[in-house]
Structures are given as C-alpha cells and as structure tokens.
C-alpha cells in the first residue's frame, strides 16, 4: 500500500500540489488523471521520491519514505521503476546498453547484467533488437526498451508519466496491454499519470482526478465513467 498524507508541493509562487491524500492498493493499476497543469506530474515526483514534498508524508507499507536521505533513499529508489513520455533513452547506446545502464550504476557483475538484459528484452518482446541503436527503433520499440530498463532492478512499483502520449493509438494499445501483462506476471503496482481518459478506461482499476493541485474525485474507473461527481471529471470525459 502506498499512502500519501496531505502532500503539498510548490515551485516558487506556484502551488502545484495542495494537501493531497491518497491510498493506492498493492498490485493495482492506479490512474491519476488531469488536464495539463493539474499537478499530476508534480505529485508523481513526490510520490516516487524524485523530489521532497514541502509538507505531508509518503508511506510505502509501514515505512515513511519521504524522510529518507543518502544511501537509504538510493536503495528505496532502486525498488521503483519509471517510464516517461519522451523515453529518456541514451542515443549513444544500443537497446541492450540502455537496459544495462541502471544495473551498471548499481555495480552488478557483467555476466549478471548480460543475463538480466537478455531476460528483459524477451519479456518486452524485442529480443531481436538487442543491438539496435535508438535511431533505428520505432516509438513503440523505444518505449519497450524504456519499460525493460525500468524493470531492470526488479522494482515493486512502476511509475508511468504520460508513457503513451507520444504514441499512435495502435501502439498505445499494445504498450498498455504489455503493462497490464507485466503487472500480472511480476506482481507489481503500477501508477499511471495521464491526461487521456481512454488510457484510464483501457487499463486502470481505480482513478484519482486532479484539478488545480487538488484531488477532485476518486473511485473505481467504472463509477467515475458512469457517474462523475465533479466538473473536472465530466470535462475530462467529454474532452
């Protein structure tokens, strides 16, 4: 269980996240949706410990994690995976080299890295792209490399920040199907940030709607699609 208690985060005079509290069940695919500027990516950065919230608490199970520093923070971050809209891959490396990178940084032995990379390439169904450079890959293939890299250290949680926004509809469906399959096979928790209601409907079990830094509404995907209670949710449904 990931629990957020009254999380707030500001950047200068802009209050991006305001007193947000959420509980995310383990093993779920949880969506956080909102328009651009709603605060969802800022919330994700606090939740994933990329940034420290100005106030509030982040708990993973029984452990409070927003107060971690140094080696303890590094070790906790290694138990999380992150994928982004723009892939964040190294153009100078092959697909295998990109997937290997976090394992190299963590100091794993070469033979263990090579074995793990091969496993991950097969897991995301691009085993034949091992030696391909990033310029040789399609957007969907690049995102598969990014997913494999995010899974390299066997994370407990996979954060997806607008991971399909730059992909065409057919590729989006394929990537969402892959994420759903990986969640089941690896028993991980997936937290998906998006502005696309169709993505939420396709893959998520529960969803939080953000608006102006606040949580406007939470519930099952079915309940929010069938009976949205707030203007923010209704606007997203009809966007």
């Amino acid at each position: 269980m990931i629990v957020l208690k009254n999380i707030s985060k500001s950047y200068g005079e802009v209050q991006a996240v305001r007193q947000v509290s959420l509980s995310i069940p383990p093993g779920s695919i949880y969506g956080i949706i909102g328009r651009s500027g709603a605060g969802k990516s800022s919330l994700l950065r606090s939740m994933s410990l990329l940034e420290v919230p100005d106030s509030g608490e982040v708990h993973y199970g029984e452990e409070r994690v927003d107060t971690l520093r140094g080696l303890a923070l590094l070790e906790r971050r290694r138990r999380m995976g992150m994928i982004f809209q723009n892939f964040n891959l190294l153009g100078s490396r092959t697909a295998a080299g990109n997937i290997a990178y976090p394992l190299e940084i963590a100091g794993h032995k070469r033979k263990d890295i090579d074995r793990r990379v091969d496993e991950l390439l097969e897991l995301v169904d691009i085993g034949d792209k091992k030696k391909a450079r990033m310029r040789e890959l399609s957007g969907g293939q690049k995102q598969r490399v990014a997913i494999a890299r995010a899974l390299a250290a066997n994370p407990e949680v996979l954060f997806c920040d607008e991971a399909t926004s730059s992909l065409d509809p057919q590729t989006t469906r394929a990537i969402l199907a892959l994420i759903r399959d990986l969640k089941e096979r690896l028993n991980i928790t997936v937290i998906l940030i998006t502005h696309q209601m169709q993505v939420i409907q396709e893959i998520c079990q529960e969803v939080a709607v953000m608006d102006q830094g606040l949580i406007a509404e939470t519930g099952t995907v079915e309940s929010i699609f069938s009976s949205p209670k707030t203007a923010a949710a209704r606007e997203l449904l009809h966007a």
Side-chain angles (χ1 to χ4, degrees):
M1 178 75 76
I2 299 174
V3 178
L4 310 180
K5 298 181 179 180
N6 299 315
I7 295 295
S8 292
K9 182 68 179 179
S10 296
Y11 302 93
E13 296 182 358
V14 177
Q15 194 168 11
V17 180
R18 298 187 285 166
Q19 295 290 303
V20 166
S21 296
L22 278 178
S23 295
I24 299 174
S28 64
I29 302 180
Y30 195 98
I32 300 175
I33 190 169
R35 293 186 178 277
S36 179
K40 50 192 190 300
S41 289
S42 297
L43 180 63
L44 179 143
R45 294 183 69 83
S46 292
M47 194 186 318
S48 62
L49 309 183
L50 290 176
E51 295 181 0
V52 179
D54 297 332
S55 60
E57 301 178 8
V58 181
H59 294 258
Y60 280 41
E62 299 297 320
E63 180 184 14
R64 182 175 177 181
V65 297
D66 60 284
T67 56
L68 297 177
R69 300 291 183 271
L71 183 59
L73 176 59
L74 181 61
E75 289 298 324
R76 172 53 74 173
R77 281 178 176 164
R78 285 176 177 166
R79 293 155 66 185
M80 306 175 197
M82 181 83 72
I83 57 175
F84 303 92
Q85 176 180 355
N86 60 356
F87 316 128
N88 282 13
L89 299 170
L90 300 171
S92 61
R93 287 188 168 223
T94 62
N98 271 279
I99 298 167
Y101 186 66
L103 299 174
E104 294 169 357
I105 295 298
H108 290 268
K109 294 180 180 179
R110 187 74 249 173
K111 64 178 183 179
D112 295 331
I113 292 174
D114 291 343
R115 182 174 61 250
R116 181 63 175 153
V117 167
D118 287 342
E119 291 173 354
L120 289 162
L121 285 164
E122 294 299 328
L123 186 65
V124 299
D125 200 26
I126 51 169
D128 60 334
K129 302 298 181 182
K130 180 176 181 177
K131 297 181 180 180
R133 299 283 176 178
M134 295 305 97
R135 65 179 179 273
E136 300 168 341
L137 300 179
S138 68
Q141 290 167 340
K142 289 177 183 177
Q143 197 58 287
R144 288 174 186 268
V145 173
I147 292 170
R149 182 186 59 184
L151 296 174
N154 291 304
E156 300 169 351
V157 184
L158 179 64
F159 293 97
C160 306
D161 191 2
E162 298 281 8
T164 60
S165 293
S166 62
L167 304 177
D168 63 72
Q170 183 177 354
T171 305
T172 291
R173 287 191 293 272
I175 292 297
L176 293 177
L178 174 63
I179 291 171
R180 187 190 303 111
D181 179 61
L182 292 171
K183 193 274 293 187
E184 295 295 336
R185 293 172 65 177
L186 304 178
N187 193 30
I188 58 176
T189 301
V190 177
I191 299 171
L192 192 146
I193 305 294
T194 186
H195 66 276
Q196 299 171 297
M197 267 296 194
Q198 63 268 33
V199 170
I200 295 291
Q201 188 176 30
E202 178 76 21
I203 193 174
C204 295
Q205 298 153 327
E206 296 185 53
V207 61
V209 179
M210 286 197 75
D211 183 41
Q212 298 181 13
L214 299 165
I215 297 295
E217 187 171 350
T218 63
T220 65
V221 171
E222 181 181 1
S223 67
I224 287 182
F225 269 80
S226 63
S227 182
K229 297 180 176 62
T230 62
R234 288 192 291 271
E235 287 173 6
L236 287 165
L237 278 169
H238 296 102

